[in-house]
Amino acid sequence: MKILKFLNESFEKQMVMYWSNLSRSTNLFVIMNISLFFLTEMVTKNGYYFTFYSLGLLLIVKVGLLVPFGLLNRLWFYCVFLVAELFAVYFLVSSIWYWVVHNKI
């Protein structure tokens, strides 16, 4: 329990940095999704849906960042959105892998 208490106290001291970095990385991943897959028309031509899953998870993270729930200083609340971000990154990497393997140019 001492470790959990230490982690909570440490998170509360630096929560602004953690949340701002999560916001910046979410913006970066949204831009990457749109520029890599929608501008190249891969999603509309091939019917590939992992990009939509990634954008949906990133939307959930952005809503969690924008709506003031009053739980921003809780470590578990941050971890929920961090896990959603990691799943979104997984779908983005899977999309890039699919794009590289099935590129027919």
Side-chain angles (χ1 to χ4, degrees):
M1 283 308 212
K2 284 186 176 183
I3 294 173
L4 187 59
K5 185 177 179 181
F6 172 75
L7 289 174
N8 282 327
E9 289 174 358
S10 175
F11 178 77
E12 287 177 3
K13 290 178 185 174
Q14 299 181 3
M15 71 174 195
V16 174
M17 180 184 65
Y18 290 128
W19 283 108
S20 63
N21 287 333
L22 186 67
S23 176
R24 287 184 200 112
S25 64
T26 303
N27 290 336
L28 175 71
F29 293 136
V30 167
I31 291 169
M32 285 177 63
N33 265 315
I34 292 172
S35 65
L36 286 175
F37 300 105
F38 287 100
L39 295 179
T40 60
E41 297 180 353
M42 182 171 176
V43 175
T44 55
K45 287 183 180 178
N46 296 344
Y48 188 69
Y49 295 108
F50 273 15
T51 304
F52 291 118
Y53 300 151
S54 178
L55 284 173
L57 287 167
L58 291 171
L59 178 67
I60 291 170
V61 173
K62 287 308 275 186
V63 167
L65 287 165
L66 294 176
V67 177
F69 291 114
L71 299 171
L72 293 178
N73 60 347
R74 305 281 191 247
L75 179 61
W76 67 268
F77 191 70
Y78 176 76
C79 288
V80 166
F81 291 108
L82 185 63
V83 168
E85 180 94 11
L86 291 176
F87 278 119
V89 169
Y90 167 75
F91 286 123
L92 176 64
V93 170
S94 297
S95 299
I96 292 171
W97 182 260
Y98 180 84
W99 185 36
V100 169
V101 170
H102 294 96
N103 193 4
K104 295 178 181 172
I105 294 177

